[in-house]
Amino acid sequence: MSVTIDITGLAADTGAAGGSTAERWRRVSVVPSPLAELGMALHALSEPGHHPELQGWATAVSSRLDPCLADRLCEADFLWRTTFSDVFAPFAGIPGGREIPGATLAEELDQLDKLTDGQFVAAALEFTCHPRYHLRADGPLEDPELRRRSLELAAARGAVQERFTRRLLEDPPAVRAWFRQLMLDCDEAFFADTWARIQPQLAADARHRTELLRRKGLGEALTSLSAAVSVDEEAGLVTVDKLLAGRTATGDGGLVLVPTSLGRPHLLVLHRYGWQPSITYPVHGVRPQAPSVEQLTRRLEALAHPVRIRLCRHLARGPHTTGELADAHGMSAPEISRHLAVLKKAGLITDCREGRYVQHQLDLSAVARLGSDFIEGVLR
């Protein structure tokens, strides 16, 4: 599974192969977004388990948060808790597909005001319409069935969310004004200080990626964002390895890359139909490369067999030959070889030749990372 972005339109102005590298990709922008980072901050506050490195910051902010503001945040936390709503990327919804995030939170809130009520409501209720996300479709304001389903799904999440969803559907302008004021109050309460601290880092990363784009081209600039991103420039396709399927295209618009300091391990791809594509990527720290979704699935499936679990018990204690494992488990050497091949293909065991014997051993570091790799894979 993956999300793909058709980027053939990016080079349309100069021809598919014409122009310099810089000219071909001049509609690719790397821009920090204070509104997106505020959304990440709210997510980290509501789901600290996703961001263990931010728990000290989250605890400090939560402990001094005004109770009234904390209650207001609870009303709409579905916008950033379980789904990172596109209301935090309003630039992408402005017609033309050439906008970039504003330099300040106020500027981005002004961009949010440019969205129609239908766009705002559909983005806010994103959790109700995943199957339609990348397809042309009416939103909850226009589609009575989707409106009913939105209220039904909201009710399943509790009375607070149901009331908020009903207010949103009945009076979008009032909720939009409420949301804008909530973001401004968060800025005053804690985010302005946080943004002042992390903005220089995000700006520096944006400059670095822009220079990489200018000198090395889009392929190298994008693959530097994450091992989960791959580029086929000949086919004009960007692929982001994620546990979901989606597709979008730049058309005659642009592609926006948004660095985040608070968002790790999330790698977000905005692929809403009719909106400008964007990728939000984490910037700080060099971490071990996480396996792809396919590799992670292969490892979990390899360990799902009881025989292979028992083999791992032996191989964790030291290297063993196929013959030794066959004797220990009362199985034939070919049977053991087949199980070892599955474990090796999954990257869970290593081989070492000693004379005419091949010894197999469990890769303890790979197995130890399985938990964190799984979490990063499902949160990516």
Side-chain angles (χ1 to χ4, degrees):
M1 291 182 285
S2 60
V3 178
T4 58
I5 306 173
D6 182 339
I7 59 171
T8 52
L10 289 179
D13 292 347
T14 57
S20 68
T21 297
E23 288 173 335
R24 289 186 64 200
W25 308 123
R26 67 184 179 279
R27 284 194 274 122
V28 179
S29 305
V30 191
V31 188
S33 165
L35 182 57
E37 199 68 359
L38 174 52
M40 290 295 187
L42 293 171
H43 172 73
L45 288 173
S46 58
E47 288 289 354
H50 291 189
H51 309 273
E53 71 276 13
L54 296 177
Q55 286 189 358
W57 170 85
T59 300
V61 171
S62 298
S63 65
R64 64 173 187 267
L65 205 60
D66 177 77
C68 180
L69 178 57
D71 289 342
R72 289 161 61 205
L73 288 174
C74 288
E75 286 188 63
D77 73 349
F78 64 90
L79 294 175
W80 53 78
R81 186 168 198 158
T82 56
T83 302
F84 191 76
S85 170
D86 291 338
V87 299
F88 292 101
F91 69 90
I94 297 174
R98 300 285 186 99
E99 295 290 327
I100 61 174
T104 66
L105 181 63
E107 288 180 20
E108 290 202 271
L109 291 174
D110 288 343
Q111 289 178 325
L112 187 62
D113 289 342
K114 294 179 181 179
L115 301 185
T116 66
D117 284 347
Q119 284 180 301
F120 181 85
V121 171
L125 297 182
E126 186 176 317
F127 72 95
T128 68
C129 53
H130 281 305
R132 307 183 184 200
Y133 184 80
H134 65 277
L135 304 173
R136 180 194 292 272
D138 290 333
L141 291 184
E142 301 83 17
D143 185 338
E145 175 59 25
L146 187 54
R147 180 189 183 96
R148 181 198 64 77
R149 176 170 170 77
S150 298
L151 289 170
E152 183 179 279
L153 291 174
R157 297 191 176 194
V160 172
Q161 184 159 332
E162 182 185 16
R163 286 195 299 270
F164 184 90
T165 302
R166 195 173 296 279
R167 284 170 51 209
L168 178 61
L169 291 169
E170 293 174 353
D171 191 357
V175 175
R176 294 178 68 165
W178 179 90
F179 178 79
R180 180 188 180 102
Q181 189 58 54
L182 178 64
M183 296 299 100
L184 292 173
D185 290 346
C186 287
D187 188 48
E188 181 179 355
F190 66 89
F191 183 68
D193 291 340
T194 300
W195 180 250
R197 175 173 56 81
I198 64 178
Q199 189 276 337
Q201 176 194 31
L202 297 179
D205 186 86
R207 290 192 297 270
H208 167 69
R209 308 288 177 186
T210 301
E211 183 65 12
L212 191 62
L213 178 68
R214 186 180 72 83
R215 292 183 176 273
K216 301 290 187 178
L218 185 63
E220 189 150 342
L222 285 178
T223 54
S224 74
L225 304 181
S226 167
V229 180
S230 60
V231 183
D232 184 339
E233 291 195 49
E234 185 175 342
L237 200 65
V238 178
T239 301
V240 183
D241 185 50
K242 291 177 70 70
L243 274 169
L244 60 93
R247 61 185 182 276
T248 186
T250 58
D252 59 0
L255 173 65
V256 179
L257 310 178
V258 181
T260 172
S261 178
L262 304 177
R264 182 177 297 279
H266 306 299
L267 178 68
L268 307 179
V269 186
L270 195 162
H271 57 286
R272 178 181 293 277
Y273 181 87
W275 287 44
Q276 180 180 190
S278 72
I279 300 175
T280 301
Y281 65 94
V283 301
H284 60 120
V286 177
R287 294 161 62 100
Q289 179 176 322
S292 66
V293 170
E294 181 183 359
Q295 289 172 319
L296 180 60
T297 302
R298 189 181 297 129
R299 289 180 179 182
L300 294 176
E301 289 176 345
L303 293 174
H305 197 287
V307 171
R308 292 195 283 271
I309 288 289
R310 292 199 298 272
L311 288 175
C312 286
R313 179 173 180 270
H314 272 83
L315 298 175
R317 297 178 176 185
H320 289 76
T321 65
T322 301
E324 289 175 322
L325 294 170
D327 289 341
H329 291 270
M331 300 172 65
S332 69
E335 287 179 305
I336 293 295
S337 293
R338 284 193 292 271
H339 286 297
L340 290 175
V342 173
L343 291 169
K344 185 174 182 180
K345 187 176 182 181
L348 296 175
I349 64 172
T350 59
D351 294 338
C352 179
R353 179 170 290 277
E354 292 289 340
R356 61 192 183 92
Y357 295 101
V358 175
Q359 296 185 327
H360 313 280
Q361 189 163 16
L362 192 67
D363 186 338
L364 295 177
S365 61
V367 177
R369 289 197 307 269
L370 266 177
S372 59
D373 287 346
F374 175 76
I375 292 172
E376 183 158 344
V378 297
L379 294 181
R380 187 186 297 156

